[in-house]
Amino acid sequence: MKILVIGGGGREHALAWKLRRSAEVEHVWCAPGNAGIAQEAECVGVDVKKLDTLVALGEKLRPDLTVVGPELPLVLGIVDEFERRGLPVVGPSKQAAQLEGSKIFAKEFLLRHGIPTASVHGICDSADDARGALRAVDWPVVIKADGLAAGKGVLVASSLDEATAFIDRLMVDREFGAAGDRVVIEEALAGPELSFIVLTDGEHFIPLAPSRDHKRALDGDKGPNTGGMGAYSSATLLEREAERAILENVVQPTIAAIKREGLRYRGFLYFGLMLTAEGPKVLEFNCRMGDPETQPLVARMDFDLAAALRALATGNLSAVRPAWKPGASICVVMAAAGYPGTPQTGARIDGLADAGNVPGVVVFHAATQRSGDEITVAGGRVLGVTATGGDLATAARACYQAAGKIHFDGAHFRRDIGISSLAVAVAARE
Ligand code: AMP
Ligand code: GLY
């Protein structure tokens, strides 16, 4: 098989790394890739925001399988274009990708099908409308830009002042452009979050191992939201009863609704869940793998991902049998100075080889580039240091030992990935 991976972040490095290890895979291209991916795959320069360019690349390379990492090409309709040209591809149709591309589409879909989610205070198309919807709410509330905003278009607001300031940023200053033309204002839910990702053909589904992301910038879940500062997966992350509730109350009804609405879907469907006292509720859908969840997930995968995705893309989901290494895996994101605001790029990265030599560790590159003999910082989330271990504590030790060997100016990372209060309780039982 010749596979094309689209994207150039930590998720795509992890995917390329895993796909390359399949006996069935002869060649991997990655567009555009990064300095780490270049060690696994042939990188092809491309702008993932331009659908025409991606389609031309697909026609030129004619891959046996295309795996799309980021949401934007999916929302732009890459799957429809590739399938029309007979190119097998993993992902939802343009229409189905609205489950991620529009928070309003997703919320209306959830409400229409009675799938548990936060209740809505307002769906607003002007700043005045949004300010009006805030008049009679209990605080905190959650405000979400309708469109894609790289995980940064959501605020949990504790006061009217905070909420109004965010609405002004979205709808008056238009910080996220058209993504903020409409907003959802919803009830704030409480509980641990969980990333529950399934493979689906739009009728059936197969769950992957559960994982947990850490979205806030600072230890103890403080600071602003980011694209994700780290994630972990472990064999004991979810108790059987919680898993049953997720499958029965959330996943099955969602897949049934996708089928009922005739949405074409052959890809990853990511349920961003809050495990509330009333049961699991959907915070968001993503129509792709998570970043950084992919990094700890591929580290635990004990099956041939290339064969599985090829089966999914060609309508043979029933042939897929995921298996997972026991124990746990953790990915710690090392970020550039300034992230999640404007990152400082260009710093030289040292210690990558030493870090990669720590047993059980693989260092995935997220935003790096090669400048002569050096590897340098090229964006906000720079590296995903990833480790497996017999349990969470062992994986975390290896991960932090490796991260300690890597240096670049301004590097910062959370020290508590996988060590949140719930994880501590789980680890204590392991
Ligand atoms: P989303 O992009 O919708 O997943 O939102 C990003 C993050 O904002 C989530 O991972 C949560 O941490 C937080 N969040 C979103 N919706 C809610 C909600 N209804 N209640 C509390 N926190 C939320
Ligand atoms: N880690 C969250 C996301 O991929 O959206």
Side-chain angles (χ1 to χ4, degrees):
M1 241 191 286
K2 294 183 179 173
I3 303 187
L4 170 62
V5 175
I6 296 191
R11 167 184 46 212
E12 290 76 26
H13 190 184
L15 289 170
W17 177 86
K18 180 67 186 165
L19 294 167
R20 243 279 308 268
R21 277 153 184 77
S22 161
E24 293 187 32
V25 172
E26 181 189 323
H27 194 79
V28 180
W29 295 280
C30 189
N34 62 36
I37 296 174
Q39 294 159 18
E40 303 288 343
E42 180 186 345
C43 294
V44 191
V46 77
D47 181 353
V48 297
K49 295 191 274 307
K50 296 211 174 100
L51 185 58
D52 291 355
T53 322
L54 294 172
V55 171
L57 184 66
E59 283 189 321
K60 179 170 146 220
L61 303 177
R62 304 266 346 149
D64 301 303
L65 180 67
T66 298
V67 182
V68 186
E71 56 277 18
L72 188 59
L74 295 166
V75 170
L76 293 175
I78 191 171
V79 166
D80 310 65
E81 295 299 329
F82 273 45
E83 286 188 340
R84 192 172 302 145
R85 290 165 176 80
L87 298 169
V89 54
V90 176
S93 63
K94 180 176 184 177
Q95 195 194 0
Q98 285 299 299
L99 286 171
E100 173 164 7
S102 165
K103 302 263 189 213
I104 296 175
F105 179 95
K107 186 57 89 175
E108 288 174 342
F109 173 94
L110 288 161
L111 295 175
R112 185 156 68 239
H113 295 285
I115 299 162
T117 185
S119 63
V120 175
H121 296 305
I123 290 179
C124 309
D125 58 13
S126 72
D128 278 346
D129 198 9
R131 288 186 206 108
L134 291 171
R135 254 178 237 130
V137 298
D138 289 329
W139 301 92
V141 300
V142 182
I143 300 168
K144 299 184 175 185
D146 178 45
L148 297 180
K152 296 170 202 162
V154 174
L155 179 76
V156 182
S158 335
S159 68
L160 184 59
D161 283 351
E162 218 186 326
T164 311
F166 190 62
I167 284 167
D168 287 346
R169 277 172 55 200
L170 294 179
M171 306 189 90
V172 180
D173 307 338
R174 302 187 81 240
E175 202 172 301
F176 299 103
D181 283 353
R182 298 198 295 162
V183 299
V184 180
I185 303 176
E186 68 182 33
E187 165 203 16
L189 300 174
E193 288 185 43
L194 188 80
S195 304
F196 198 87
I197 305 172
V198 306
L199 293 174
T200 181
D201 60 6
E203 183 169 359
H204 311 284
F205 66 91
I206 296 186
L208 302 183
S211 56
R212 175 166 291 131
D213 182 14
H214 297 60
K215 287 214 173 68
R216 300 292 199 93
L218 306 175
D219 285 2
D221 290 332
K222 305 254 169 18
N225 258 330
T226 71
M229 294 299 289
Y232 69 98
S233 170
S234 89
T236 51
L237 178 53
L238 251 196
E239 273 154 17
R240 198 172 291 265
E241 179 54 27
E243 182 171 19
R244 189 198 56 76
I246 291 168
L247 292 173
E248 278 180 22
N249 303 337
V250 175
V251 180
Q252 284 162 11
T254 299
I255 303 297
I258 284 175
K259 180 169 185 223
R260 214 171 316 139
E261 296 206 359
L263 297 174
R264 187 168 161 74
Y265 210 121
R266 280 180 177 172
F268 297 101
L269 178 58
Y270 166 132
F271 295 80
L273 301 175
M274 189 77 95
L275 306 180
T276 75
E278 295 167 1
K281 296 191 181 183
V282 177
L283 297 177
E284 65 162 344
F285 292 119
N286 293 324
C287 56
R288 49 165 176 87
M289 287 289 278
D291 190 346
E293 289 92 329
T294 304
Q295 290 84 316
L297 286 176
V298 303
R300 283 193 63 218
M301 279 180 187
D302 209 3
F303 63 101
D304 185 332
L305 182 66
L309 295 182
R310 167 89 188 168
L312 170 64
T314 53
N316 285 310
L317 182 64
S318 60
V320 178
R321 300 261 181 285
W324 304 91
K325 293 179 194 152
S329 54
I330 296 195
C331 168
V332 172
V333 170
M334 298 185 75
Y339 182 79
T342 309
Q344 272 172 35
T345 58
R348 188 183 77 220
I349 307 171
D350 290 313
L352 287 166
D354 282 350
N357 284 334
V358 175
V361 168
V362 46
V363 181
F364 294 122
H365 291 218
T368 63
Q369 66 183 32
R370 183 167 283 282
S371 319
D373 287 343
E374 297 180 346
I375 294 193
T376 59
V377 170
R381 292 192 290 174
V382 181
L383 299 167
V385 182
T386 305
T388 47
D391 58 28
L392 216 42
T394 313
R397 256 194 311 275
C399 209
Y400 281 107
Q401 192 194 340
K405 295 183 186 292
I406 296 174
H407 301 282
F408 55 89
D409 279 349
H412 63 99
F413 56 92
R414 279 182 60 165
R415 313 276 161 166
D416 64 346
I417 303 302
I419 316 175
S420 61
S421 55
L422 192 96
V424 169
V426 171
R429 278 203 307 275
E430 274 175 346

